[in-house]
Amino acid sequence: MQKAAGATGSKGSSGGGRRQATKAKLYEAAVTLIAEQGFSATTVDEIAERAGVAKGTVYYNFASKAELFEELLRYGVGLLTESLQRAADDTERSGGTKVAALDAMIRAGLDFIATYPSFTQLYVAELWRTGRAWQSTLLVVRQQAVAVVEEVLREGVAAGELSDEIDIPLTAAALVGMVLVAALDWQAFQPERSIDDVHAALSRLLQGRVGGSRA
């Protein structure tokens, strides 16, 4: 996940930038290893080796492997949330409708998943697990991503673009879930399809199920 290392910001100094770059390497190493062999089987030594740093560097940045994974979830879902918000904001600036904003968010979600497939697999798997130390963190960051979609839906209903019968929380969760599951299915079972093709299919589904004015 090094491509977006700057997305979480820095302390404004070269030292802060170096530490953020190191964290990005550790996130990348951890997400790849855990996706390959599971959380329990992955060791701090392996994460350090994959990241190309000393084992002590891991513990300098994170108190434990569990803390590293928890922060990885925050970091990755934070990037997803930022990409969804940016898509909504860009559509609003260009004068697009709320349905167009939702469509742009679908594309942004697909782009994110295509860029970070290992993280997405890990995130979706963790959503279904219980009893994890980071469960509360996972619920919080999930809601942050869903809340971005909820806001666009709420604005669409208020503007009369969308039916006021829409269950906003459930519809927002369904749209985010649709993108996650459809994208993983695409990558695992239909990799020959282009991202444009997948986006077009989900766009048609959005238009049919969510689009439309009040009666």
Side-chain angles (χ1 to χ4, degrees), residues 15-212:
R18 284 194 299 272
R19 186 170 186 183
Q20 191 57 50
T22 299
K23 283 189 172 184
K25 289 181 181 179
L26 293 171
Y27 290 144
E28 176 72 21
V31 74
T32 303
L33 286 166
I34 294 171
E36 289 174 357
Q37 57 195 35
F39 177 80
S40 298
T42 300
T43 66
V44 171
D45 285 332
E46 289 173 319
I47 293 171
E49 182 179 359
R50 180 69 66 94
V53 301
K55 181 178 180 179
T57 301
V58 180
Y59 288 115
Y60 174 74
N61 287 278
F62 305 99
S64 64
K65 183 179 69 169
E67 182 182 288
L68 167 57
F69 188 68
E70 184 172 350
E71 289 305 310
L72 168 62
L73 291 172
R74 287 184 185 275
Y75 178 78
V77 180
L79 292 179
L80 173 59
T81 302
E82 288 174 12
S83 69
L84 296 177
Q85 186 66 65
R86 188 162 50 248
D89 292 344
D90 288 347
T91 304
E92 182 176 5
R93 279 192 291 269
S94 66
T97 65
K98 297 307 175 184
V99 174
L102 292 170
D103 187 56
M105 294 165 88
I106 287 175
R107 178 58 186 243
L110 291 173
D111 285 337
F112 175 87
I113 293 164
T115 303
Y116 305 117
S118 294
F119 173 79
T120 306
Q121 292 169 13
L122 211 56
Y123 170 61
V124 171
E126 288 301 316
L127 285 173
W128 293 100
R129 291 195 172 100
T130 58
R132 296 289 209 183
W134 48 80
Q135 194 70 29
S136 60
T137 295
L138 186 62
L139 294 176
V140 169
V141 295
R142 170 205 168 272
Q143 184 52 40
Q144 289 171 349
V146 172
V148 176
V149 183
E150 286 182 359
E151 182 61 22
V152 174
L153 289 169
R154 194 171 291 110
E155 291 172 352
V157 170
E161 292 182 32
L162 306 175
S163 170
D164 55 12
E165 295 182 354
I166 289 176
D167 183 321
I168 290 175
L170 187 58
T171 301
L175 286 171
V176 173
M178 175 185 74
V179 173
L180 290 172
V181 174
L184 291 176
D185 185 89
W186 157 46
Q187 294 193 338
F189 304 111
Q190 306 176 66
E192 71 283 356
R193 299 182 68 168
S194 69
I195 191 170
D196 290 335
D197 186 28
V198 176
H199 176 216
L202 296 185
S203 181
R204 285 190 291 273
L205 182 59
L206 169 71
Q207 297 289 339
R209 298 300 183 186
V210 177

